[in-house]
Amino acid sequence: MEEKGTISIHTENIFPIIKKFLYSDHEIFLRELVSNAVDASQKAKRLSVIGELKGDLGDLKVTVKVDKEKKQIIISDNGIGMTAEEIKKYINQIAFSGATEFVERYKDSTDKSQIIGQFGLGFYSAFMVAGTVEIDTLSHQDGAEPAHWICDGSTEFSITTGSRTERGTDVILNIAEDSEEFLEEARLQSILNKYCKFLPIPVEFNGETINNPNPIWTKSPSELTDEDYKNFYKELYPFSEDPLFWIHLNVDYPFNLTGILYFPKVKNEFDFQKNKIQLYSRQVFITDEVKDVVPEFLMLLHGVIDSPDIPLNVSRSFLQADANVKKINTYITRKVADKLNEIYKKDRTAYEEKWNDIAVFVKYGMLSDDKFYEKAKDFALLQSTDEKFYTLEEYRNYVQANQTDKNGQLVILYTTDAEKQHAFIETAKNRNYDVVKLDTMIDPHFIGQLEQKLEKTTLKRVDADTIDKLIETDAKPASVLSEDETKRLKELFEKAINNQNMTVGVEALSTDDQPVIITLPEFMRRMKDMNRMGGGGMMMGNFPDMYNVTINANHPINHRILKHNDERGEKIAKQAYDLALLSQNMLSGAALTAFVKRSVELIDKE
Ligand code: ADP
């Protein structure tokens, strides 16, 4: 028997168009053909279960072979096979019309890069790398004849009686000259590793099974131990540290989704992007660009998501609008919130220990998703400088009595660097105020959010002003200086400091406070922070920092300076100012040298 025919499709020669479209992504041909072989094997399994497959099912497996001499790649399976009629129906009509549809839909698309790899081109993708493709197959059906099909990607094909004696299919690719890279075993190995690592039927290459057909996300959590989850994490991301914890996703209504999301232990902020969540569809790897499928703040997580309900054959803008994708987003967000809440409730100490590792996820989530904020506000923690943890509610209750200013605003004091801002933290503690640590990259945004969400609450960095001004109360110490003395003291310091970025003011502070205090106003610093992080409209990046220098009117040293009111007074003023700079690590270079020299002279005079 030999039959020649013409494949009935409308677009002549779609092949060159497809080849051009998918230029950068030719490797997916292997994913498509291996998953077809896997599908055919699984169909055989199902038919056998219901008694429709006669004879022995055998060990189902898919084999990938390369023949360098003949320049062939052969993908074989012992699945259900096809009759000549089925080839005509499924390959000639369906596969080719799928390809046609693809071309029709996307020929006018402007952003072609977006569709690459998202469209399962199926069988036809073989022609991206092969000049001619052959199918050698024997159907499982009683009395079926083997069939052999050959086609060069044009609309011409030929079907003859084949020679295959066992059930199943060989797809033989005669690799085109411009695609000979795919005859390299290392290349094939890496493609198989990327796309086929978790296919549900064993896939053999070079005599070795390359996949794990039963990855743990397909199992029930009750069958799995912590070790299983950790080992799987290592399988996904070799050489990574153990994850902190994980969430097993499993839903079948209103969409189908399984997977495992891991909270990684991240050493620094740059580690995040290294490993990514992998997206699978029925155990076939699709992509690790999960941007639109997973809520953005959860992109920091690791693991796998497997869903046949994520449309992979459409462009990205469509994906964003897709109802299933939206539901998946909501579902994942809720599961993550529930899991965090569960750990928090079950073992608060363990949760606190993990807090510094998970804080960035939680805060990022609270910032980007209001629903998440609503859940997370109950388990988001603030850590005080004496290492105690509080929920937002607990903390507000804790400081309420002591840190509410005269306008009824609750003032939360924070530090971004407990070492550098040590002097200020001490001053706050002397007043029995508490200081929390908000020292990660995301905290400037988180602070803004807390102020929006928490009623009558302001956050102030502990060095943003003198302590009396950070939390203004009615009980303000009176100044012992006259108006004239105050004016003279101010002028004296202005002369000694001689720097227009330093605004000098004299304030009545406690005698326990430092004689000179240098502060960077909260507003100013936030503007600069935002600017540095790329937000905000104003260009303040090149602006010098404008500091406030507060001279303590009640400090004895300043009284001495007034008394001298000469060169010696100016020298002491300079010394007091330098000490303030020094306590904030702001003294360096020539200024530091001059300070040391002056200090030596002063000691010498004692
Ligand atoms: P899809 O897999 O999305 O249906 P394909 O173009 O990849 O589209 O394949 C078209 C059809 O050809 C399949 O649905 C299947 O019926 C048949 N087919 C392809 N490969 C095989 C195979 N290895 N064994 C049996 N049937 C196959």
Side-chain angles (χ1 to χ4, degrees):
M1 169 197 105
E2 156 139 34
E3 186 182 339
K4 285 192 191 287
T6 306
I7 292 159
S8 55
I9 46 171
H10 311 297
T11 316
E12 287 293 309
N13 236 355
I14 49 178
F15 168 59
I17 306 178
I18 287 189
K19 202 159 171 165
K20 204 172 104 216
F21 263 140
L22 299 175
Y23 192 74
S24 63
D25 228 19
H26 285 180
E27 62 179 33
I28 62 148
F29 78 92
L30 195 56
R31 168 184 86 187
E32 296 300 323
L33 297 178
V34 173
S35 24
N36 278 350
V38 165
D39 286 348
S41 309
Q42 287 189 307
K43 281 179 196 157
K45 207 184 211 168
R46 278 198 295 275
L47 288 179
S48 166
V49 170
I50 58 170
E52 295 217 345
L53 186 114
K54 305 284 181 295
D56 188 17
L57 181 64
D59 281 336
L60 294 172
K61 77 171 176 201
V62 175
T63 315
V64 178
K65 279 196 284 274
V66 205
D67 187 329
K68 277 200 164 175
E69 307 253 294
K70 289 192 189 157
K71 301 196 169 158
Q72 286 181 334
I73 297 174
I74 303 148
I75 296 107
S76 314
D77 65 71
N78 51 352
I80 53 170
M82 282 179 279
T83 62
E85 284 312 305
E86 284 171 331
I87 295 183
K88 282 191 263 176
K89 186 170 163 202
Y90 296 131
I91 302 292
N92 291 353
Q93 289 172 22
I94 297 183
F96 276 65
S97 68
T100 311
E101 191 196 336
F102 169 78
V103 171
E104 308 249 282
R105 268 172 76 178
Y106 292 109
K107 132 175 105 193
D108 302 321
S109 157
T110 45
D111 195 355
K112 295 184 172 66
S113 64
Q114 294 200 338
I115 51 170
I116 286 174
Q118 303 243 341
F119 197 96
L121 253 191
F123 182 81
Y124 201 92
S125 61
F127 291 106
M128 295 195 302
V129 297
T132 56
V133 177
E134 296 169 58
I135 300 175
D136 237 331
T137 179
L138 175 61
S139 163
H140 72 283
Q141 289 169 36
D142 271 347
E145 288 226 342
H148 179 261
W149 175 90
I150 182 163
C151 179
D152 64 1
S154 70
T155 49
E156 311 288 321
F157 70 94
S158 142
I159 288 190
T160 52
T161 307
S163 55
R164 203 182 154 101
T165 52
E166 275 164 22
R167 187 195 73 221
T169 305
D170 290 335
V171 174
I172 302 148
L173 309 179
N174 297 288
I175 298 300
E177 233 168 71
D178 63 0
S179 298
E180 283 180 12
E181 58 182 287
F182 294 107
L183 294 168
E184 297 302 327
E185 299 195 341
R187 181 72 202 273
L188 285 185
Q189 181 82 54
S190 86
I191 302 172
L192 289 169
N193 251 332
K194 178 166 169 192
Y195 295 102
C196 304
K197 217 168 149 189
F198 299 112
L199 284 175
I201 297 284
V203 179
E204 214 176 271
F205 179 63
N206 274 344
E208 277 181 43
T209 305
I210 58 100
N211 59 329
N212 165 4
N214 303 302
I216 66 168
W217 81 78
T218 62
K219 299 179 186 170
S220 145
S222 59
E223 296 172 44
L224 300 166
T225 64
D226 286 2
E227 272 315 294
D228 293 329
Y229 286 104
K230 286 181 190 166
N231 289 339
F232 183 64
Y233 187 75
K234 286 247 155 61
E235 198 177 333
L236 286 177
Y237 313 107
F239 312 114
S240 290
E241 260 194 76
D242 274 352
L244 292 165
F245 48 85
W246 46 86
I247 303 169
H248 200 131
L249 305 168
N250 193 343
V251 56
D252 44 35
Y253 181 83
F255 51 85
N256 235 294
L257 183 138
T258 51
I260 296 168
L261 291 180
Y262 289 94
F263 277 72
K265 193 166 173 76
V266 193
K267 285 201 214 74
N268 58 52
E269 324 244 353
F270 304 102
D271 256 7
F272 279 125
Q273 292 312 316
K274 220 174 53 196
N275 299 322
K276 292 179 174 169
I277 297 178
Q278 302 176 357
L279 188 62
Y280 290 76
S281 177
R282 296 199 170 89
Q283 293 173 242
V284 184
F285 174 83
I286 305 297
T287 178
D288 54 13
E289 296 296 329
V290 295
K291 206 161 177 269
D292 300 308
V293 179
V294 176
E296 200 187 317
F297 76 93
L298 293 176
M299 305 251 293
L300 307 173
L301 303 186
H302 297 160
V304 298
I305 290 175
D306 188 335
S307 174
D309 291 336
I310 298 171
L312 301 160
N313 53 347
V314 288
S315 73
R316 191 149 273 172
S317 54
F318 192 83
L319 201 57
Q320 282 166 346
D322 185 80
N324 265 341
V325 170
K326 285 220 176 80
K327 281 183 214 145
I328 288 172
N329 255 289
T330 313
Y331 167 77
I332 295 177
T333 306
R334 203 188 66 225
K335 284 300 267 192
V336 168
D338 289 350
K339 179 72 186 189
L340 288 166
N341 196 27
E342 177 196 313
I343 304 176
Y344 162 73
K345 288 235 164 89
K346 211 163 76 189
D347 187 348
R348 168 115 180 207
T349 316
Y351 179 81
E352 286 178 358
E353 274 161 17
K354 289 179 179 139
W355 174 249
N356 281 316
D357 291 304
I358 59 171
V360 64
F361 301 104
V362 177
K363 289 172 182 176
Y364 193 16
M366 292 170 85
L367 280 162
S368 51
D369 185 330
D370 242 8
K371 283 207 194 92
F372 189 80
Y373 179 94
E374 282 312 312
K375 288 185 175 244
K377 70 178 183 344
D378 297 329
F379 53 74
L381 300 181
L382 290 172
Q383 186 181 16
S384 81
T385 43
D386 38 61
E387 312 302 330
K388 285 201 194 99
F389 288 94
Y390 305 85
T391 64
L392 301 177
E393 194 54 36
E394 286 167 358
Y395 194 72
R396 278 165 53 86
N397 289 334
Y398 173 54
V399 296
Q400 184 97 41
N402 210 22
Q403 290 181 213
T404 302
D405 71 12
K406 62 178 187 193
N407 305 316
Q409 282 280 326
L410 182 79
V411 181
I412 294 179
L413 298 175
Y414 69 94
T415 172
T416 53
D417 189 331
E419 278 289 307
K420 277 200 189 142
Q421 295 150 18
H422 183 264
F424 291 93
I425 297 171
E426 283 306 296
T427 307
K429 284 186 175 166
N430 283 340
R431 300 278 165 102
N432 286 324
Y433 294 152
D434 193 75
V435 180
V436 292
K437 293 199 252 184
L438 289 172
D439 49 12
T440 64
M441 231 160 66
I442 198 165
D443 282 322
H445 300 280
F446 186 58
I447 287 164
Q449 191 186 34
L450 289 182
E451 287 181 337
Q452 264 177 31
K453 296 271 185 185
L454 302 178
E455 228 179 293
K456 287 195 145 192
T457 303
T458 320
L459 282 91
K460 293 184 182 170
R461 200 166 99 173
V462 69
D463 61 348
D465 212 329
T466 56
I467 196 71
D468 290 320
K469 288 231 179 106
L470 287 176
I471 304 177
E472 280 188 287
T473 55
D474 288 322
K476 221 182 154 231
S479 175
V480 296
L481 297 184
S482 72
E483 223 170 272
D484 178 55
E485 285 169 324
T486 306
K487 192 165 161 265
R488 270 202 296 129
L489 189 62
K490 182 169 183 269
E491 283 164 3
L492 232 146
F493 265 98
E494 272 167 349
K495 197 163 156 229
I497 293 169
N498 189 24
N499 181 341
Q500 57 185 11
N501 299 329
M502 298 283 170
T503 311
V504 179
V506 177
E507 294 278 339
L509 308 176
S510 149
T511 43
D512 296 337
D513 289 333
Q514 295 299 313
V516 179
I517 298 166
I518 300 168
T519 55
L520 181 61
E522 182 78 19
F523 171 74
M524 181 83 180
R525 207 199 54 254
R526 283 195 198 186
M527 292 291 287
K528 289 197 76 142
D529 279 353
M530 287 298 162
N531 218 271
R532 217 182 29 245
M533 289 180 299
M538 263 193 267
M539 283 310 298
M540 296 193 61
N542 299 325
F543 246 64
D545 284 328
M546 301 291 290
Y547 291 92
N548 287 334
V549 181
T550 306
I551 315 300
N552 184 355
N554 294 335
H555 200 283
I557 283 203
N558 292 331
H559 301 162
R560 254 177 70 199
I561 292 170
L562 265 181
K563 215 163 70 197
H564 283 293
N565 199 20
D566 55 7
E567 240 173 70
R568 178 149 167 84
E570 197 181 315
K571 205 174 195 175
I572 303 173
K574 192 115 188 59
Q575 188 74 358
Y577 169 67
D578 280 355
L579 280 169
L581 287 174
L582 193 67
S583 83
Q584 290 198 65
N585 236 333
M586 285 169 68
L587 203 55
S588 63
L592 181 58
T593 311
F595 166 77
V596 173
K597 193 164 164 242
R598 194 183 328 110
S599 302
V600 173
E601 281 168 23
L602 284 168
I603 300 170
D604 217 23
K605 293 222 168 85
E606 281 304 307

